[in-house]
């Protein structure tokens, strides 16, 4: 592999162009050859703001794809990957949230670690979340609970806010397109492990990250997709019919308790309503304050 590997960044944007610009500025000059940015905003005014971000960076470094609709995280990232592949062969893809603030050595540290551990296909990193560190989590298959340490029946999950991945680890799609958002990183980690691929996380906090910047915690959108992700994960992780019944039952109990507590906390029936709706595939999207527009699809 060359001393200076070809790295393509993959990123989504949903409004908040100023936040995206702040993030991109912390990544410029770190050895990323190109960043493919998919705008999921479904708003012509916001599309223009996103397209204008290109002028802040060297020509060709930032490429903007305007999605035909709000595709969600999984399909949006898959679209970014498709466009990146059209540009040629890459040594690494770097999946990035637009709500992170990277330290100057983020990319070099990730690449160095992966080059030293050639058998790692999926590499994440710890993040400074303000009052705590985000890092490797362990997903308990039967209950759907997350833990910070290994537990019986759990497996490691690489959080999706910043992931370095080797192209050979991707066969067809990167993320399962059934996930709109939430749960796709669990499914990806599980799929990699089931295929015998090694995943890891760099223990250093090389970026800052604040979650739920685009989804709106406690909104119908947030609550629906959190719950919906749990049901989809059962389909991916359950080995047989009996096991899936157990997984569905345990999740129903735990998610019901969660919905009741959150409805009380926020003085709103939205969490309970979202749980009831989550068993169905519904077009639940964030509430827009702009008038919908005709579908467009352009690349800058």
């Amino acid at each position: 592999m060359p001393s200076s590997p070809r790295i393509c960044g993959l990123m989504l944007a949903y409004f908040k162009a100023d936040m995206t610009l702040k993030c991109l500025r912390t990544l410029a000059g770190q050895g990323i050859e190109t960043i493919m940015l998919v705008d999921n905003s479904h708003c012509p005014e916001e599309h223009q703001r996103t397209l204008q971000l290109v002028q802040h960076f060297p020509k060709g470094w930032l490429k903007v794809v305007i999605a035909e609709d709000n595709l969600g995280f999984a399909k949006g990232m898959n679209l970014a990957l498709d466009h990146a592949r059209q540009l040629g062969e890459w040594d690494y893809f770097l999946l990035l949230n637009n709500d992170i603030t990277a330290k100057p050595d983020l990319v070099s540290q990730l690449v160095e670690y992966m080059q030293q551990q050639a058998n790692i296909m999926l590499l994440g990193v710890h993040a400074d979340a303000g009052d705590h560190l985000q890092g490797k989590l362990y997903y308990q298959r039967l209950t759907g609970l997350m833990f910070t340490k290994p537990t019986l029946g759990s497996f490691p999950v690489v959080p999706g806010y910043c992931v370095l991945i080797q192209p050979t680890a991707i066969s067809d799609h990167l993320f399962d397109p059934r996930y709109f958002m939430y749960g796709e990183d669990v499914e990806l980690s599980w799929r990699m492990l089931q295929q015998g691929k090694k995943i890891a996380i760099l223990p250093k906090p090389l970026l800052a990250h604040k979650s739920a910047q685009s989804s709106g915690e406690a909104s119908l959108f947030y609550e629906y997709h959190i719950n919906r992700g749990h049901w989809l994960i059962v389909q991916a992780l359950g080995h047989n019919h009996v096991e899936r019944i157990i997984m569905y039952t345990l999740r129903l109990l735990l998610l019901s308790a969660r919905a009741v507590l959150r409805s009380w906390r926020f003085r709103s029936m939205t969490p309970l309503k979202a749980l009831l709706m989550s068993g169905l595939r519904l077009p639940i999207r964030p509430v827009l304050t702009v008038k919908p527009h005709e579908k467009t699809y352009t690349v800058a």
Side-chain angles (χ1 to χ4, degrees), residues 121-143:
M121 292 290 157
L122 197 70
L123 178 63
V125 64
H126 275 67
D128 181 356
D131 57 350
H132 67 283
L133 288 181
Q134 291 178 314
K136 182 186 289 185
L137 297 171
Y138 294 85
Y139 187 87
Q140 213 289 327
R141 288 181 57 250
L142 292 181
T143 63

Side-chain angles (χ1 to χ4, degrees), residues 67-271:
E68 61 180 7
D69 198 353
N70 183 356
L71 302 176
F73 187 85
K75 287 185 178 179
M77 276 295 185
N78 289 345
L79 178 61
L81 175 66
D82 290 343
H83 280 275
R85 283 172 163 171
Q86 294 175 20
L87 298 179
E89 299 293 327
W90 300 95
D91 296 309
Y92 300 109
F93 291 115
L94 182 60
L95 284 56
L96 297 155
N97 273 21
N98 67 333
D99 57 1
I100 67 167
T101 303
K103 291 188 177 181
D105 58 345
L106 168 67
V107 177
S108 62
Q109 291 272 348
L110 285 170
V111 171
E112 181 181 358
Y113 190 88
M114 187 170 272
Q115 287 179 334
Q116 292 174 350
Q117 308 288 333
N119 57 338
I120 294 177
M121 292 290 157
L122 197 70
L123 178 63
V125 64
H126 275 67
D128 181 356
D131 57 350
H132 67 283
L133 288 181
Q134 291 178 314
K136 182 186 289 185
L137 297 171
Y138 294 85
Y139 187 87
Q140 213 289 327
R141 288 181 57 250
L142 292 181
T143 63
L145 295 175
M146 284 283 199
F147 298 92
T148 56
K149 295 181 179 180
T151 59
L152 182 65
S154 68
F155 64 91
V157 172
V158 175
Y161 52 76
C162 179
V163 181
L164 189 67
I165 185 168
Q166 298 206 35
T168 53
I170 308 170
S171 53
D172 182 14
H173 56 259
L174 176 59
F175 289 109
D176 187 329
R178 293 177 299 172
Y179 295 79
F180 189 83
M181 58 191 309
Y182 302 116
E184 63 283 321
D185 51 356
V186 174
E187 190 279 332
L188 176 63
S189 296
W190 172 255
R191 185 172 7 119
M192 293 293 106
L193 292 170
Q194 292 300 107
Q195 294 173 0
K197 299 179 174 69
K198 188 174 180 180
I199 67 177
I201 186 164
L202 200 60
K204 303 176 183 178
L206 296 175
L207 57 86
H209 175 241
K210 294 183 179 181
S211 59
Q213 292 298 295
S214 298
S215 56
E217 187 175 0
S219 65
L220 179 62
F221 170 78
Y222 175 87
E223 298 293 336
Y224 171 83
H225 286 291
I226 282 285
N227 290 298
R228 181 70 179 164
H230 278 285
W231 306 134
L232 291 173
I233 288 173
V234 170
Q235 299 174 28
L237 272 58
H239 291 306
N240 53 60
H241 185 64
V242 173
E243 191 173 77
R244 290 191 185 98
I245 291 176
I246 295 172
M247 295 167 75
Y248 279 127
T249 301
L250 291 174
R251 279 166 176 75
L252 180 59
L253 294 173
L254 291 169
L255 290 174
S256 295
R258 174 189 179 277
V260 169
L261 290 173
R262 289 177 69 81
S263 289
W264 177 82
R265 174 188 173 188
F266 293 107
R267 302 296 190 271
S268 168
M269 294 298 292
T270 296

Side-chain angles (χ1 to χ4, degrees), residues 12-20 39-47 49-50 53 70 98 214 286-290:
L12 299 185
Y14 181 75
F15 292 91
K16 300 188 177 182
D18 290 343
M19 181 178 71
T20 302
D39 188 321
N40 259 344
S41 303
H42 197 54
C43 167
E45 292 82 5
E46 189 64 22
H47 291 167
R49 284 188 282 270
T50 303
L53 297 179
N70 183 356
N98 67 333
S214 298
V287 177
L288 298 178
T289 57
V290 296

